[in-house]
Amino acid sequence: MTAGKPLDLRLLPAALSSWAAALAAVHLPWQHALHLGWTLLGVGALATLGAWLLHRLSTAAAPLHILLCCVLAGAVAFQAGTEAREHHSSGWVSAVESDVPVMVTLRVSAQPEVLSTPGFDGQTRIAAAATVETAVLSGEDRPRPLDAFVVIIQDSAAAPTGHPSAEPTGQPPGGPAGEHIGQPEGHPSAASRVGTLSLVTGHRYQGLVKLSPTGPGQRETALVFPFGEPLQRLPADPRTEFTEVFNGLRSATAAASAPAVGDAPALLPGLILGDRTHQDQELSEAMRAAGLSHLTAVSGANCALVMGALIGLVRLSRAPRWTSVPVSLIGLLLFVLLVHPEPSVIRAGVMGSIAAVSLFAGRGRSAFALLCLCVLGLLVFDPFYAMEPAFQLSAAATAGIVVLGTRIRERLEGFLPMVLAAPLALAFSAQLFVTPVLLPLSASMSTYAIPANVLAAPFVPFITVPGTFAAVISTTLPWLAVPILWCCGWAAACLGLIGRVASGLPQATAPWPEGWLGWALVVLYVFAAVVLAWGLVERFRLWQVLLLAGMAGAVLALVLPVTALTPTRGIDQWQVALCDVGQGDMLVVRTQEAAGVIVDTGEDPLLADRCLEKLGVDTVEALLLTHEHRDHYGGTPGVLQDREAGLVLHAGSADWDVGTEVESVAELPVDVPVHRPEAGETFEFLGGVQVRLTVWAAEAHHAEANDNSLVALFEIADSRLEPGVIGSAEQPLRLLAMGDMEQEVAASLLRRVGPPEGVHLLKVSHHGASNGGTQVLEATRPAAALIGVGEENSYGHPSAEIIGTLEGLGAAVYRTDLHGTVVFTVDADGLEADAVP
């Protein structure tokens, strides 16, 4: 963008209005979405009629823009409303909302992924996007044809029955993947996890499933859980056989990448084909913290590099110039099929094709118009793109490069060589526009994303272009693909090194403030970005420089962070802590300066240990394991290792042997009692704070393990507080921890024994799931509700019903997915909560 060559912004109003219409339509009921479409078309018709009646304005730009905006936005709303209406009229929505299992036939449409959170039984789970082709709905005896997007979630060990098939995508032929040297105990390697994938892209499956609705605005209409038996794999049809050709190429590419150095075996499948299943959690987190995770997903940059290489080959072969576009587009189509034509890949392919056409036409001024055209085409094709973070980030990054990239490069070339100026301008312009989109998604910013991307940029072409060629020949010429990928592996290993080093630097991910301060900084950031763009194109003025300096100072204060220099209220006097251990539960009730009672431990020992270290707890006076689901006891080694333990209490089903299932409990000294308590038993801890624990429920005969949870009532009294204050000896702080008890058993207990009186803090049952019920919430009416839940978990926890009930009761809700670890302190001013950084 330059002053002499302004951007072509004529399609920008249409793109923005269509995006807004898509955001509204996908959240509205289908009737309202269709009404929105009719309304927009009506406004467009009136604008056209008015322009026609006023003949002098018939050639003016404003009515034409209004007409274009209304027609395209209306088309987007119609598309969303029509699709939703079809799901309602077919009975699919009613089936999703009911609890009745449904027999479905579906086809896996995207690469399955290993979920970071295990199932309740500790099994590794996988998720795969799929399309429901037929379903036998309630009251019908024949399958009804459907076309509904869903997500399958099942245990990785649940191998499908029925027709034999090729090995799962990503598993090297010749047997299961080998062990990963140095992998921590309890954390399976990426290779071994990939070897357990039981769903294959492109294949059809049939079986009885339970359906769970997704949230509004999501393309996927339901979460699908196999009911009883694993899904049965159906015989291959022509589409499956066609997809299997590309599945074989993906598997062969992963196998041929194995001999590469460093992190290359895990990164190459992602860098070339967008297959991240070979990355372990540590590497994925490092790439994310460094701002490099976009490199291991198929993006417009991948498509542009592939198409650029094809155009170069056409030119070198001296073929007619007009053949460049069809050859590159055909190559792009094959590349999309190779990496699987899922929505994110289609989006990247369209972006890449628009870039190729722009390059071929040689009209750089039209780049912004082509970006808007791309956005419009994708939204009309599928309005749910408006909700996808990848689509938002792609559009923002491309807009930043188009608006600022050239101008920043020209400025930098005044004192830097071109080989440094170009990638720095690319990374800076993209990151500048992407950051406001990233902040609401991650609540943090990658401090070193720009320098990391600048260092990574020179290595990417040496991976994508030759790596794609190696993937294509991986099954026919494996002896050639292996050395090519081995050479590419050196560049990939360098990317892995950059990611690990950057993520290990201080403040690699700086948390963005919550509340009004965070929003104020976002607004300031956006204004600063606009001012910077203006100043680079025109000329900086004094007020612009002052505003940019203020924004730089604010970001610097966030990154350093200088707020640590100001006095803040610490966490030294906390009484109760809700630990962030991902998709799991862990509470700590403080009994002494460095001691406490622990209720459950989450699933990850590392996260459990980290929380206790932050809290300064080195003595476990009692450990309560509520029941036998691993997300409640799997972190026990992290709690007991290097800490003194005084007592272990547990409930769970009658046949659950804690000493056998929880190895770290079995290793405790013989003088540490391990006890299954009964309802009504009490335990007292008389340290610096008086804590009385009363077992409210500890049954063992229920068929559902959740209902056998140990439910504990804590009464916490601090003699230093004045009488009458919450937390004093006369009015102790009361905490009720419900485990995972479900609503029927909880309601029965309420009828038999009545609710505990005066509950101030309630650990909500089952991570806020709807099957925990609302009876206990309404009976106890707590001042604050505590929910241990993983961020963006696939269970849909916590449910909108539970959150709505709590808010209606006036309870403050604290969730680990939103607030992290939270400590609760009682003083003369009452009960207060603080997040632990």
Side-chain angles (χ1 to χ4, degrees):
M1 173 178 169
T2 64
K5 294 182 178 180
L7 293 174
D8 186 352
L9 302 177
R10 288 174 292 180
L11 288 178
L12 180 60
L16 293 177
S17 60
S18 297
W19 202 322
L23 289 173
V26 299
H27 286 88
L28 291 173
W30 65 268
Q31 301 95 328
H32 296 169
L34 292 179
H35 290 162
L36 175 63
W38 282 115
T39 301
L40 290 171
L41 289 181
V43 172
L46 290 175
T48 304
L49 179 61
W52 180 76
L53 292 175
L54 300 174
H55 183 68
R56 292 182 180 180
L57 297 178
S58 61
T59 58
L64 296 177
H65 278 296
I66 294 175
L67 176 61
L68 184 63
C69 291
C70 291
V71 169
L72 291 174
V76 169
F78 267 121
Q79 176 74 352
T82 301
E83 183 177 346
R85 181 178 61 183
E86 291 175 355
H87 292 324
H88 277 79
S89 61
S90 66
W92 175 247
V93 173
S94 299
V96 171
E97 293 175 349
S98 72
D99 293 330
V100 179
V102 178
M103 177 65 70
V104 299
T105 299
L106 42 78
R107 188 187 301 271
V108 177
S109 58
Q111 174 71 24
E113 296 181 358
V114 179
L115 297 178
S116 58
T117 56
F120 293 130
D121 55 359
Q123 286 282 349
T124 300
R125 300 180 305 147
I126 61 173
T131 303
V132 176
E133 297 182 343
T134 64
V136 181
L137 303 180
S138 179
E140 300 180 358
D141 55 0
R142 292 185 178 181
R144 177 189 290 267
L146 293 171
D147 184 19
F149 291 102
V150 297
V151 175
I152 308 171
I153 298 177
Q154 69 175 37
D155 290 343
S156 60
T161 60
H163 187 74
S165 178
E167 290 173 325
T169 301
Q171 178 176 330
E179 295 182 356
H180 179 63
I181 298 175
Q183 187 71 21
E185 183 180 355
H187 294 266
S189 69
S192 63
R193 290 186 302 155
V194 171
T196 64
L197 294 183
S198 53
L199 298 173
V200 184
T201 309
H203 284 248
R204 294 187 306 149
Y205 297 84
Q206 188 178 68
L208 197 63
V209 300
K210 289 291 292 289
L211 303 173
S212 177
T214 56
Q218 296 187 31
R219 177 186 288 107
E220 295 76 16
T221 58
L223 300 178
V224 173
F225 301 89
F227 185 76
E229 298 294 327
L231 297 175
Q232 180 183 13
R233 185 178 299 158
L234 298 178
D237 60 359
R239 182 176 170 185
T240 300
E241 293 173 351
F242 180 74
T243 307
E244 197 59 34
V245 174
F246 297 97
N247 287 343
L249 292 174
R250 294 169 65 90
S251 297
T253 301
S257 302
V261 299
D263 290 319
L267 289 175
L268 280 174
L271 293 165
I272 299 170
L273 303 174
D275 180 6
R276 296 179 177 178
T277 58
H278 301 267
Q279 297 176 199
D280 58 27
Q281 188 174 357
E282 180 184 1
L283 179 58
S284 297
E285 178 61 25
M287 297 295 284
R288 185 200 65 80
L292 298 176
S293 58
H294 64 94
L295 297 177
T296 54
V298 176
S299 64
N302 295 72
C303 298
L305 284 171
V306 171
M307 297 179 73
L310 292 173
I311 292 174
L313 289 175
V314 171
R315 300 285 175 82
L316 289 175
S317 64
R318 298 184 181 277
R321 183 180 176 86
W322 63 267
T323 60
S324 298
V325 170
V327 168
S328 60
L329 291 179
I330 292 173
L332 176 64
L333 176 61
L334 294 174
F335 179 72
V336 168
L337 291 174
L338 176 62
V339 298
H340 294 315
E342 51 193 276
S344 62
V345 178
I346 294 174
R347 182 265 310 163
V350 173
M351 290 279 191
S353 62
I354 291 293
V357 173
S358 174
L359 179 64
F360 178 74
R363 299 183 62 187
R365 180 177 176 273
S366 303
F368 198 86
L370 289 171
L371 171 62
C372 293
L373 182 63
C374 173
V375 170
L376 287 167
L378 288 170
L379 290 177
V380 171
F381 172 73
D382 186 352
F384 286 95
Y385 276 117
M387 291 294 297
E388 285 194 355
F391 181 72
Q392 300 166 10
L393 294 172
S394 179
T398 306
I401 294 170
V402 170
V403 173
L404 292 180
T406 301
R407 193 60 175 170
I408 294 176
R409 178 179 57 80
E410 291 172 353
R411 293 288 181 95
L412 293 177
E413 285 177 352
F415 54 90
L416 288 176
M418 184 175 179
V419 69
L420 293 179
L424 184 59
L426 184 71
F428 182 77
S429 58
Q431 192 69 30
L432 187 69
F433 276 52
V434 159
T435 298
V437 182
L438 277 175
L439 291 176
L441 299 175
S442 62
S444 63
M445 62 180 295
S446 297
T447 307
Y448 309 106
I450 291 177
N453 277 277
V454 170
L455 292 174
F459 297 103
V460 176
F462 295 101
I463 300 171
T464 301
V465 176
T468 302
F469 174 71
V472 171
I473 65 171
S474 58
T475 55
T476 55
L477 301 173
W479 55 269
L480 181 58
V482 170
I484 293 176
L485 290 172
W486 184 84
C487 294
C488 295
W490 287 98
C494 291
L495 293 182
L497 180 62
I498 293 171
R500 290 185 183 277
V501 171
S503 65
L505 295 174
Q507 285 290 103
T509 53
W512 198 263
E514 297 182 0
W516 68 268
L517 178 59
W519 283 108
L521 285 175
V522 169
V523 172
L524 182 60
Y525 186 100
V526 172
F527 271 116
V530 173
V531 169
L532 180 61
W534 188 0
L536 287 172
V537 173
E538 302 291 343
R539 188 176 60 181
F540 285 107
R541 294 176 174 81
L542 178 60
W543 69 271
Q544 295 173 337
V545 174
L546 293 176
L547 180 60
L548 291 175
M551 182 59 202
V555 174
L556 187 64
L558 173 69
V559 171
L560 285 180
V562 297
T563 53
L565 302 177
T566 60
T568 57
R569 196 169 80 89
I571 62 169
D572 292 339
Q573 304 304 317
W574 64 274
Q575 275 87 28
V576 176
L578 171 66
C579 286
D580 182 6
V581 288
Q583 181 64 19
D585 273 350
M586 181 173 173
L587 289 175
V588 184
V589 177
R590 197 176 193 180
T591 56
Q592 300 185 53
E593 184 68 23
V597 176
I598 319 297
V599 182
D600 287 329
T601 63
E603 195 271 337
D604 191 334
L606 181 62
L607 295 179
D609 177 61
R610 187 179 300 169
C611 181
L612 294 182
E613 284 186 353
K614 287 181 179 180
L615 299 173
V617 174
D618 55 28
T619 299
V620 179
E621 292 212 52
L623 171 62
L624 279 64
L625 301 177
T626 59
H627 62 295
E628 64 263 37
H629 285 156
R630 192 173 178 83
D631 59 329
H632 290 257
Y633 76 82
T636 302
V639 171
L640 296 180
Q641 186 175 2
D642 300 328
R643 291 185 176 90
E644 297 182 12
L647 172 66
V648 176
L649 302 175
H650 71 91
S653 303
D655 58 352
W656 187 47
D657 187 341
V658 174
T660 301
E661 297 292 335
V662 188
E663 185 176 348
S664 52
V665 171
E667 295 174 348
L668 289 172
V670 293
D671 59 343
V672 176
V674 178
H675 175 59
R676 179 189 284 268
E678 296 181 357
E681 283 193 60
T682 61
F683 303 85
E684 293 190 348
F685 307 91
L686 305 176
V689 177
Q690 298 178 6
V691 176
R692 179 185 176 90
L693 186 167
T694 302
V695 178
W696 192 55
E699 298 176 343
H701 61 274
H702 298 288
E704 173 57 54
N706 287 339
D707 293 329
N708 295 321
S709 294
L710 191 159
V711 180
L713 174 66
F714 291 89
E715 297 173 278
I716 308 163
D718 188 342
S719 59
R720 294 170 296 182
L721 294 176
E722 297 180 1
V725 176
I726 295 177
S728 63
E730 290 78 9
Q731 191 177 354
L733 175 69
R734 289 183 172 87
L735 161 68
L736 180 63
M738 290 294 299
D740 276 358
M741 182 173 288
E742 298 184 8
Q743 56 185 341
E744 290 82 2
V745 175
S748 175
L749 281 170
L750 288 174
R751 290 191 298 269
R752 286 189 285 116
V753 302
E757 296 181 359
V759 173
H760 304 104
L761 298 176
L762 173 67
K763 202 293 295 180
V764 178
S765 176
H766 203 184
H767 320 286
S770 59
N771 62 9
T774 61
Q775 295 92 331
V776 173
L777 313 182
E778 296 164 348
T780 57
R781 306 182 69 87
L786 287 55
I787 302 178
V789 61
E791 186 177 2
E792 296 182 358
N793 66 88
S794 58
Y795 300 103
H797 297 164
S799 75
E801 178 188 11
I802 297 298
I803 298 299
T805 300
L806 289 169
E807 291 176 348
L809 295 171
V813 180
Y814 296 94
R815 301 165 41 175
T816 54
D817 61 334
L818 300 181
H819 307 106
T821 296
V822 182
V823 294
F824 297 87
T825 304
V826 177
D827 54 23
D829 297 326
L831 181 66
E832 295 188 21
D834 291 284
V836 178

